Amino acid sequence: MKNLEQRSKSVQNRRKLPREQDKFYQSMVFVNVLGWFVFIGALLVFHDARPEFVSGLQAFWGVEVRQEWSRTLTVYLAGLLSLCVLISVVVLIMKRRRNRRDNDHFGINGYVLMLTAVSSLIILYFEYTAPLK
């Protein structure tokens, strides 16, 4: 009987707690921020993986630059973007399970991260495989 009373008090307290103090909400925010940091890491890898820009001065002086995608960095880039998609799907599932009130936020940043990562993967696929054909 004592266990049942404690459980009912904890359930009532959880519902009266502000969202910022809820552990599930805090973990959801952490996972969301982690996804954005992974995306920033993907942007940094993209900067090194893409073909280098050849300016007119470099062409005139005969400076050699890499004009194709880096194979190893492209694999890392695809992995990071796939991880972004996975993290954003996890965040969207977590939001769906928790957001039941009218005043809960929609969570548009999870959709933006997923859409951006998926479109980047599609563009990377066509950019990387086009010169190989």
Side-chain angles (χ1 to χ4, degrees):
M1 187 70 172
K2 197 173 201 179
N3 246 353
L4 185 60
E5 289 174 10
Q6 287 176 346
R7 179 180 269 178
S8 66
K9 284 182 182 180
S10 67
V11 171
Q12 289 172 353
N13 288 339
R14 182 185 65 84
R15 293 184 182 179
K16 291 181 181 179
L17 275 176
R19 289 175 60 179
E20 291 77 20
Q21 293 178 359
D22 185 21
K23 295 297 181 193
F24 187 81
Y25 179 79
Q26 290 173 350
S27 64
M28 184 173 54
V29 169
F30 174 76
V31 171
N32 197 5
V33 170
L34 178 70
W36 282 104
F37 276 119
V38 169
F39 185 73
I40 290 171
L43 288 176
L44 293 173
V45 172
F46 166 77
H47 178 70
D48 289 337
R50 68 182 174 172
E52 295 175 0
F53 176 74
V54 181
S55 67
L57 190 59
Q58 288 174 325
F60 178 73
W61 283 343
V63 176
E64 289 192 30
V65 294
R66 184 174 40 88
Q67 295 182 347
E68 66 277 343
W69 286 85
S70 171
R71 290 188 184 271
T72 56
L73 291 177
T74 304
V75 171
Y76 291 135
L77 178 60
L80 287 172
L81 289 172
S82 300
L83 185 62
C84 282
V85 171
L86 178 70
I87 288 173
S88 63
V89 166
V90 167
V91 167
L92 292 175
I93 290 170
M94 290 172 79
K95 281 186 185 285
R96 180 165 283 245
R97 290 190 50 90
R98 181 53 65 151
N99 288 351
R100 295 183 183 150
R101 299 181 211 108
D102 290 337
N103 61 352
D104 284 341
H105 300 291
F106 184 62
I108 194 77
N109 59 2
Y111 290 106
V112 169
L113 179 62
M114 186 172 60
L115 179 68
T116 307
V118 167
S119 61
S120 298
L121 278 170
I122 292 169
I123 291 170
L124 178 67
Y125 174 75
F126 287 116
E127 280 289 320
Y128 185 70
T129 58
L132 298 177
K133 291 180 181 177

